Amino acid sequence: MGLLSDPNRRKALTNLLTRLNTPICIVCYLAAIVWFMGLAFEPFTLRTYMSENAMGSTMVEERFSSGERALSLAKEFDAHKRKAGGMPVEWLVKAMQARGLEVFTQSFSRKLPFPDENKERYMVGGRNVYGILRAARAPRTEALVITAPCSPGNSNNQAVGLLLALAQYFRNQIYWAKDIIFLVNEHDLIGMQAWLEGYHHTNITGMEYSPLQGRAGSIQAALALELSGDVITSLDLILEGLNGQLPNLDLTNLFYAFCQKLGALCTIQGKLQRNDWDTAEGYTHAAQTMMLMVLKQACGRSWGDHGLFLRYHIEAASIRGINSFRHYKTDATTIGRLVFVLHRKLVATHKNPSCRCRCSCITLAFSVSLQPSSPGMLTVLTPVVISHLTGVALYLLPVHLQEMAVEHFPVSETEAVVLTAIAIYTAGLALPHNTQRLLSGEGTEQGWKVLKLTALLYLAVLLGCTALINFSLGFILAVTLVPITASITPHMPKALCALAMVLLSPAFTILYCVFIYQELIEAPVSVGEGWMLFLSVISQGILDHALYGSLVYPLLALFIYPCWLMFWNILFWN
Amino acid sequence: MAAPLTLLLIVAVTIRAVLFRSSLAELISERVEVVSPLNAWKRVVEGLALLDLGVSPYSGDVFHETPLMIYLFHFTVDYAEIVFMVSPYFVDCLSCLLASLDRAKIFRKQKYALESDRYPADCLELLRSPKEMFYIPLKVAMFYLLNPFTILSCVAKSTCGLNNAIIALFIFCTLKGSALLSGILLALATYQSIYPLTLFAPALLFFLQRLYIPVNLRRSSFWCFTLQYAFIYVGSLVVITGLSFFLLGSWDFIPSVYGFIFSVPDLTPNIGLFWYFFAEMFEHFRLFFICVFQINVFFYTIPLSIKLKEHPVFLIFMQIAIISIFKSYPTVGDVALYMAFLPAWSHLYRFLRNIFLVSCVLLACSALFPVLWHLWIYAGSANSNFYYAITLLFNFGQILLVSDYFYAYLRREHHLTHGLYLKKKDGTEATLVLK
C-alpha cells in the first residue's frame, strides 16, 4: 500500500499531477478523439469476427418463389386500406386465417402529451393484427416475430404483401421448431409498443390496450420489414433501437453474409461497404458511416419498428428496401428468400449473448483541483440546488404549461411546448447574476473552486454513466462539454467565454448534430430549414420520452443542463 | 440548536413523505443495494401472511426475520410507513444525544489532562474547544437524516432501519452508563443479526473505563465486572430466545435466521463481498470459505480492542463500520449508520489523507451500481463481473475510509503525548506512517 500510506511518494505524485495538469488533460482529450476516429480505420476493427457460437450462413436451402404473389397481395392490401381508411382488419384477419394461422387482434389507444406535427396525430387509437404459426413440435416455448407496419398512404404495402406470402410458404414447411408470429401493427411504433407491452404484461408508458388473446412462447428474435416499392435495388439494415441499444451484431454479419450469397445488395446507414480502406476516400467513407451511426444512436430514438424489441432483450433488426435507381435490381422473390433463410437460421440457433462490442470505452480525464478546502456548504449548495430546480422546470413545465401558452400566444401546442423549453433554457442563463446577488453577495475565491470541483466530479460521473448506457451520446456530450468546462474560471474574459460556453451548450450541440446529420445523409439544409428541423427534433425527443420511455430528454434536462448551469455560474461568480 | 434541528426534521419528513407517495417507492424497494433477503419488506409481508394462515412463517425459506420482529409488524402492519419514518428519527435523536454525551465526557477528560499538564506545549491546537463541538450533534443528525442511503432504506421499508435504531439505543445506554440496559439492548441487537456480538468488547471496555477498573487479567475486579456484564448479556439473550420460542412454539427460527446468516445460501447480488465468491465456489470448499469469511468479521475485534482499549467510543465506531462492510448481507442502510457518526470525529480532519479519494470512489460507485445492474440484467451487454467490480470498489472505498480514520485517530493520540511537530533524532521533520 505504498502509494496510499507513504506520504513522500504521495506528495511526489500529487506534485507531478498538479504541475502537469493541463498537458495531461489536453493529451487525454486528443487521444480520446483520435482513438474514436480510429474505430473507423479498418485494421483496428474486427469486421469478419465471428463469435464462437455464431450463426454461420451455410446449410440452408431456399426455395421461395412467390415473389409475384407477394406483389399482387400488396395491391390488394392497398385497395382494402384505401377503402377502410385505415387498417383493413377484417381482410387481414381473413387473409391470415386462410393461410392457416391463428389470428388475433389487439386494440390500443393513447393520447399524446401534445400533437405530433411530423406525423399529424394527437389522439391515437388503432388495432394490431397478428397471426401465430405454431411449431409442429414443442409449440408455445419460443417464438420468432416477423412484422410489417401498416402505414397510411402508399408506404409499406409490399411489406405486408411479402409477409402474407411468406406466411403461406412457411406454413407448408414442417420443420419449424419455434412458433412464428406474423404481426401487422398500426401507427408504427405506438402500435408496436402496445403489442409488446401486452405480450410481456408490462405497462411502462401509460398506454391503454386490450389484453392479448393468443400468445406464443418467449420471443427470441424479431425482424421488421419496410418495403415500399415493387422494385428494390438494395436492402438497408437498420440496427439502432431505443436509447441507442443495438441487437446482437452477429445478426448483422448473418444478414450481410446471406445477402452476398443470394446476390442482393446490402447497405448499412444507406451506404455500401467498400474494400479500399487504405485510401483516404475509403477511410472518409468509413468515418462517415460511423458518424452517422453515432448520431443515430445518440438521439436515442428507435429508427425502425424493431427498436422497441431490444428493451425486452429480443434481438431485432429492420430491413428497409431502397430503390436508388441502380442498374441491378432485386425482386421480391429474392427478398422473400432472404427473410426465409434468416428465419431458418434464427430458429435453429439458441440465444447466445456472446458478441463483442465494437466500441472501446475511453475515459477522458479532467483537471481536478487537488487542494482540500472547506468553505461553507452554502456557497456550494445554493448553485447546485438552483441549477437542479431549473432542470426540473425544464423537464416538467413545457408539457404542463402548453395550455396556458396557447391561450396567450398565437402558436400551436407543439410549438408552444418547444418554445417554452427553449425559453426556460435561455432563462436559466440569467440565473447567476440574480441569485448570487440575492443570496450571498460576492462569492469568495475558495467558493468557486469548490463549486468547480463538485461540478467536475458530477460531470465525470454523469458522462461515465451515460457512456456506459449509450456510448454515442456520452461521447458527443463529452467532446463538446469537456474542453470548456475543464478550463473555465471566473477570471477569464467574460464575453468571449460566455459565447464559447453558449456555443458548446447542450442545445447548440443538438443543433450542430442536426446539421452534421443532414450533411452525412447527403441532403444538406439551409439555416432556416435546419432551425425548423431542430425544433422538430426537440418535440420528437419529448414525445419519445412520453411514448416509449426514451431517456435522452430526461437526461439532458435533469442532469446535463443543471451541470452546464453550474459551470455557467462559475463563469459569472464575481 | 432546537430551531435548526426542527427544520432538519421537517425537511427530512417532507422528503420521505414525498418519496413514499411517488412511483419511485416501488422501484426503490426492489433494488438489491437497498434491500437484502434478511430485511426486505416484501418478505415481512409474506411472513405475516403465512402467520395469519396459521403456518410457520419460516416454511418456504422466504422469511428470515426474528419472531419478535414479526410480532411487532403483526400489530403495526397498517402503520408500517409510520414505523419506518419514526425509526430514523429515533436513531437520529439518539445519535444527537450521544454525541452531546460524548462531548461532555471529552471535555471532562481534556480538562483533567490539561490540569495535570499531560499535554505537550505545542499541541494545544489539537484540543477540542466547546465552540467547535457545539454543532456536532446537529451535524450527526444531518448526516443521518439527509444521507441518501438512509432515505432510500427508509422508503424501501427495509427493517435495517429498525436494527440501526436498536444499535443506536444500545450505544446511547452504554454512554449513559447503564450496564443493565446496555446488556439487554446488546442482546436484542445480537438477536436481530448476530454480528453486534462484536460490540460486547467495546461496551465492556467502556464500562471498565467508566468505573475506573483497570484492564488487567489478574485483577479480580476486572473478572467480577466482566462476569456481571456477560451474565446480563447472555441472560437477556437466553430470555429473548426463549420468548421467541414461546411466541411461535418451535425452534424453526434458529436455522432460518441464524443458519441463514452464517451459511449464506442466498446468492442474490448485493453490495457485499460474499455473493460472487460463493457463486463461483466449488461445493467441496464451500464450508471452508464460509468459515474464513465469517471469522473475518469477528476477528478484527481482538487487535482493535487491544490497540484501542483506552478509547472505547472510537472502538464502537470501528466495530460498526467493520460489521457493515464484512457482514454477509450488507445494505446501504448499514453503511449509513456508521457514516452518521463521522462528524463526531471532525477534529481528525487535518490528519486524514485519503478523504478526497474515498468520497470520489463512494460517489462514483453509488452512481455506477444501478447503471451496471441495468446493463447486466436488462441490456445484456455486461455481466456479473462488472457489477462485482463496482462492489469491490465500493468496499475498498469503505475500508479506506475506516482505516484513514483509524490512522488519524492514532496519530492525534500520538501527537497529544509526543507533541505536534515531531523531529527525528537528527532534528529534521519526521513523518508518521501507519505500518
Side-chain angles (χ1 to χ4, degrees):
Chain A
M1 286 249 294
L3 204 58
L4 288 170
S5 59
D6 183 359
N8 296 326
R9 298 234 288 263
R10 281 169 66 97
K11 230 187 296 236
L13 184 67
T14 50
N15 284 343
L16 188 74
L17 275 179
T18 334
R19 240 173 356 132
L20 296 179
N21 201 356
T22 323
I24 291 181
C25 286
I26 297 179
V27 164
C28 282
Y29 183 75
L30 291 175
I33 296 191
V34 164
W35 197 321
F36 185 76
M37 294 317 286
L39 281 177
F41 190 50
E42 200 69 29
F44 288 170
T45 66
L46 299 159
R47 226 184 57 203
T48 49
Y49 173 76
M50 297 284 257
S51 68
E52 306 75 40
N53 300 333
M55 306 176 261
S57 63
T58 55
M59 300 278 290
V60 178
E61 292 164 36
E62 62 290 330
R63 263 175 259 119
F64 180 74
S65 52
S66 327
E68 297 310 314
R69 276 241 60 200
L71 295 178
S72 63
L73 278 167
K75 290 192 189 47
E76 257 187 75
F77 177 66
D78 192 26
H80 280 95
K81 195 164 69 172
R82 272 178 227 282
K83 209 165 64 175
M87 174 104 139
V89 176
E90 290 78 22
W91 179 81
L92 268 173
V93 168
K94 270 206 279 286
M96 283 191 184
Q97 271 172 344
R99 282 158 179 81
L101 308 177
E102 294 175 21
V103 188
F104 306 95
T105 62
Q106 181 203 28
S107 56
F108 59 90
S109 70
R110 181 84 161 97
K111 178 163 168 263
L112 274 61
F114 53 89
D116 180 356
E117 279 185 356
N118 286 11
K119 298 207 177 85
E120 278 156 29
R121 54 191 183 189
Y122 181 46
M123 309 264 287
V124 172
R127 296 173 77 175
N128 296 326
V129 177
Y130 64 105
I132 306 181
L133 173 65
R134 297 279 176 204
R137 289 177 303 161
R140 293 179 178 80
T141 43
E142 291 176 337
L144 294 175
V145 174
I146 310 185
T147 164
C150 167
S151 316
N154 268 337
S155 354
N156 286 324
N157 297 327
Q158 283 76 12
V160 177
L162 188 62
L163 191 84
L164 292 171
L166 279 171
Q168 183 154 21
Y169 182 65
F170 281 19
R171 190 74 181 86
N172 295 330
Q173 315 297 326
I174 50 166
Y175 38 67
W176 296 112
K178 295 187 170 110
D179 296 341
I180 304 189
I181 305 177
F182 296 88
L183 168 68
V184 180
N185 55 317
E186 200 176 351
H187 296 297
D188 50 87
L189 284 171
I190 299 183
M192 185 61 81
Q193 178 73 18
W195 190 83
L196 279 170
E197 285 191 349
Y199 200 85
H200 292 98
H201 306 293
T202 59
N203 196 337
I204 24 185
T205 58
M207 176 108 50
E208 279 148 25
Y209 54 85
S210 62
L212 295 184
Q213 305 296 326
R215 206 176 175 280
S218 71
I219 305 178
Q220 303 298 304
L223 206 58
L225 299 172
E226 292 178 29
L227 295 167
S228 299
D230 284 351
V231 172
I232 303 287
T233 54
S234 59
L235 291 167
D236 196 26
L237 186 67
I238 306 169
L239 300 169
E240 299 85 9
L242 194 68
N243 288 328
Q245 266 187 296
L246 296 176
N248 193 330
L249 295 179
D250 278 342
L251 200 62
T252 320
N253 285 339
L254 185 69
F255 183 76
Y256 196 66
F258 275 134
C259 276
Q260 283 187 318
K261 193 159 164 252
L262 292 173
L265 269 181
C266 168
T267 61
I268 306 251
Q269 311 299 334
K271 295 187 193 295
L272 280 174
Q273 305 298 298
R274 286 163 67 138
N275 280 328
D276 55 342
W277 49 265
D278 46 356
T279 63
E281 293 92 31
Y283 177 72
T284 326
H285 179 91
Q288 278 175 346
T289 317
M290 188 182 78
M291 283 313 296
L292 258 181
M293 184 153 201
V294 164
L295 286 171
K296 282 188 178 176
Q297 256 194 305
C299 76
R301 60 181 283 248
S302 171
W303 290 82
D305 279 0
H306 70 290
L308 300 173
F309 283 89
L310 297 169
R311 196 196 338 235
Y312 298 92
H313 215 159
I314 301 170
E315 312 305 337
S318 279
I319 302 177
R320 180 178 295 157
I322 297 181
N323 187 357
S324 49
F325 305 106
R326 265 178 236 274
H327 193 61
Y328 180 76
K329 300 191 196 320
T330 312
D331 59 355
T333 315
T334 319
I335 302 174
R337 278 200 197 130
L338 196 60
V339 177
F340 171 68
V341 297
L342 208 56
H343 265 254
R344 279 289 315 268
K345 208 64 201 178
L346 286 171
V347 161
T349 317
H350 293 289
K351 236 160 93 105
N352 65 88
S354 64
C355 175
R356 287 254 296 264
C357 175
R358 276 189 188 187
C359 304
S360 51
C361 277
I362 308 165
T363 45
L364 305 175
F366 305 103
S367 74
V368 172
S369 153
L370 291 168
Q371 0 163 347
S373 49
S374 55
M377 285 276 275
L378 207 61
T379 45
V380 176
L381 272 185
T382 319
V384 171
V385 168
I386 294 179
S387 309
H388 280 89
L389 286 177
T390 321
V392 170
L394 183 62
Y395 176 68
L396 290 176
L397 289 184
V399 178
H400 284 105
L401 289 186
Q402 53 174 314
E403 285 103 20
M404 209 159 74
V406 167
E407 263 176 45
H408 293 279
F409 300 100
V411 289
S412 68
E413 280 96 349
T414 320
E415 285 171 9
V417 170
V418 174
L419 292 174
T420 317
I422 297 182
I424 297 179
Y425 188 91
T426 329
L429 298 181
L431 276 177
H433 300 273
N434 300 325
T435 54
Q436 204 66 22
R437 308 267 144 85
L438 211 64
L439 281 169
S440 41
E442 283 291 307
T444 63
E445 184 69 16
Q446 282 291 54
W448 75 260
K449 284 191 181 150
V450 175
L451 181 61
K452 185 171 177 185
L453 176 65
T454 322
L456 279 175
L457 283 174
Y458 184 46
L459 186 67
V461 169
L462 205 57
L463 286 179
C465 295
T466 312
L468 279 175
I469 296 185
N470 186 347
F471 180 73
S472 313
L473 182 63
F475 185 76
I476 291 178
L477 286 172
V479 162
T480 50
L481 284 176
V482 164
I484 193 70
T485 53
S487 54
I488 198 133
T489 63
H491 306 300
M492 299 167 86
K494 288 249 190 317
L496 195 63
C497 283
L499 187 66
M501 270 214 83
V502 169
L503 285 180
L504 289 173
S505 68
F508 273 84
T509 312
I510 302 177
L511 191 63
Y512 303 146
C513 286
V514 166
F515 280 111
I516 295 176
Y517 178 74
Q518 291 296 124
E519 278 292 327
L520 285 174
I521 58 172
E522 287 157 17
V525 287
S526 65
V527 177
E529 287 170 5
W531 174 255
M532 297 310 293
L533 265 178
F534 171 66
L535 294 180
S536 82
V537 160
I538 297 182
S539 72
Q540 285 298 311
I542 302 178
L543 274 177
D544 276 351
H545 169 62
L547 286 176
Y548 319 120
S550 157
L551 292 174
V552 177
Y553 178 65
L555 179 77
L556 287 178
L558 292 174
F559 296 107
I560 302 280
Y561 176 62
C563 198
W564 182 86
L565 263 188
M566 285 199 274
F567 286 103
W568 182 255
N569 220 325
I570 294 175
L571 181 62
F572 290 99
W573 191 253
N574 305 332
Chain B
M1 263 275 279
L5 196 60
T6 325
L7 181 66
L8 183 66
L9 286 178
I10 293 175
V11 167
V13 170
T14 318
I15 296 176
R16 282 167 172 79
V18 163
L19 281 175
F20 262 129
R21 292 281 164 259
S22 77
S23 58
L24 286 176
E26 228 182 84
L27 203 74
I28 294 175
S29 59
E30 288 175 7
R31 297 287 333 162
V32 288
E33 297 94 7
V34 184
V35 296
S36 73
L38 282 177
N39 51 30
W41 177 245
K42 221 167 47 164
R43 293 173 182 250
V44 172
V45 170
E46 171 95 14
L48 284 174
L50 286 172
L51 190 68
D52 284 339
L53 287 174
V55 181
S56 158
Y58 299 107
S59 55
D61 198 32
V62 166
F63 183 71
H64 300 289
E65 297 277 0
T66 53
L68 283 183
M69 190 66 84
I70 198 179
Y71 270 95
L72 172 71
F73 282 114
H74 190 60
F75 296 119
T76 60
V77 69
D78 295 325
Y79 311 107
E81 282 180 12
I82 299 182
V83 168
F84 285 107
M85 285 263 248
V86 162
S87 59
Y89 299 117
F90 200 44
V91 177
D92 170 68
C93 296
L94 290 174
S95 322
C96 255
L97 288 168
L98 64 92
S100 43
L101 272 180
D102 193 37
R103 185 176 62 183
K105 198 174 83 68
I106 287 173
F107 284 143
R108 225 180 14 244
K109 189 168 148 196
Q110 264 184 186
K111 197 172 93 156
Y112 293 149
L114 264 176
E115 283 170 5
S116 55
D117 266 342
R118 273 204 285 150
Y119 292 139
D122 55 357
C123 65
L124 288 174
E125 62 197 70
L126 288 182
L127 295 179
R128 306 171 71 177
S129 65
K131 201 168 88 150
E132 98 192 26
M133 289 186 69
F134 182 66
Y135 280 110
I136 286 184
L138 183 64
K139 281 190 198 165
V140 168
M142 194 165 75
F143 260 57
Y144 191 73
L145 280 179
L146 298 182
N147 193 346
F149 290 157
T150 329
I151 296 178
L152 285 176
S153 193
C154 175
V155 171
K157 294 199 272 217
S158 153
T159 56
C160 186
L162 293 172
N163 292 344
N164 286 354
I166 298 177
I167 296 180
L169 196 58
F170 151 72
I171 301 178
F172 177 68
C173 293
T174 312
L175 285 189
K176 214 48 175 153
S178 159
L180 176 69
L181 275 179
S182 159
I184 295 174
L185 286 163
L186 184 63
L188 198 58
T190 313
Y191 165 77
Q192 278 294 113
S193 68
I194 307 185
Y195 298 106
L197 175 63
T198 57
L199 294 173
F200 179 80
L204 183 65
L205 284 171
F206 182 84
F207 284 118
L208 289 174
Q209 198 184 59
R210 198 163 189 276
L211 297 173
Y212 301 108
I213 301 174
V215 182
N216 191 338
L217 290 173
R218 269 169 281 197
R219 292 283 199 102
S220 65
S221 53
F222 168 75
W223 284 112
C224 197
F225 185 78
T226 311
L227 283 172
Q228 274 180 346
Y229 192 62
F231 183 70
I232 298 174
Y233 174 61
V234 174
S236 325
L237 198 56
V238 165
V239 165
I240 296 172
T241 318
L243 189 64
S244 315
F245 169 70
F246 285 118
L247 275 176
L248 281 181
S250 71
W251 293 108
D252 270 350
F253 71 98
I254 292 190
S256 274
V257 181
Y258 307 117
F260 185 81
I261 295 177
F262 274 133
S263 65
V264 192
D266 187 328
L267 295 176
T268 319
N270 49 46
I271 62 173
L273 299 162
F274 281 63
W275 60 276
Y276 186 82
F277 210 83
F278 288 100
E280 308 265 310
M281 184 74 55
F282 287 119
E283 280 305 311
H284 188 65
F285 299 106
R286 200 187 153 87
L287 183 61
F288 172 66
F289 279 103
I290 293 259
C291 295
V292 167
F293 272 67
Q294 298 289 3
I295 288 174
N296 191 33
V297 185
F298 295 101
F299 185 74
Y300 295 104
T301 320
I302 303 172
L304 280 176
S305 309
I306 295 173
K307 186 73 187 173
L308 291 173
K309 63 176 184 280
E310 312 288 327
H311 315 285
V313 182
F314 191 70
L315 182 59
I316 292 182
F317 166 72
M318 292 286 287
Q319 286 291 25
I320 295 178
I322 285 178
I323 291 173
S324 33
I325 299 172
F326 292 114
K327 69 192 286 195
S328 45
Y329 293 100
T331 61
V332 292
D334 300 308
V335 175
L337 180 65
Y338 77 81
M339 279 197 177
F341 292 117
L342 290 180
W345 321 112
S346 55
H347 60 287
L348 299 174
Y349 185 77
R350 61 182 289 176
F351 299 118
L352 290 173
R353 291 166 312 166
N354 294 324
I355 198 72
F356 178 67
L357 181 67
V358 165
S359 351
C360 287
V361 165
L362 291 179
L363 180 71
C365 287
S366 315
L368 282 173
F369 268 125
V371 168
L372 280 163
W373 179 261
H374 171 85
L375 278 182
W376 173 21
I377 301 288
Y378 296 107
S381 54
N383 54 37
S384 59
N385 298 318
F386 291 72
Y387 194 76
Y388 192 58
I390 302 301
T391 308
L392 278 178
L393 198 60
F394 187 71
N395 285 309
F396 164 73
Q398 286 186 65
I399 293 171
L400 198 58
L401 176 71
V402 167
S403 60
D404 215 19
Y405 266 93
F406 188 51
Y407 166 80
Y409 194 86
L410 290 180
R411 184 164 163 181
R412 180 174 173 270
E413 293 303 314
H414 184 92
H415 281 312
L416 281 177
T417 42
H418 295 109
L420 190 54
Y421 299 105
L422 305 169
K423 302 243 178 300
K424 287 202 272 224
K425 289 197 184 60
D426 54 0
T428 54
E429 197 184 327
T431 47
L432 277 181
V433 177
L434 182 70
K435 282 225 187 287

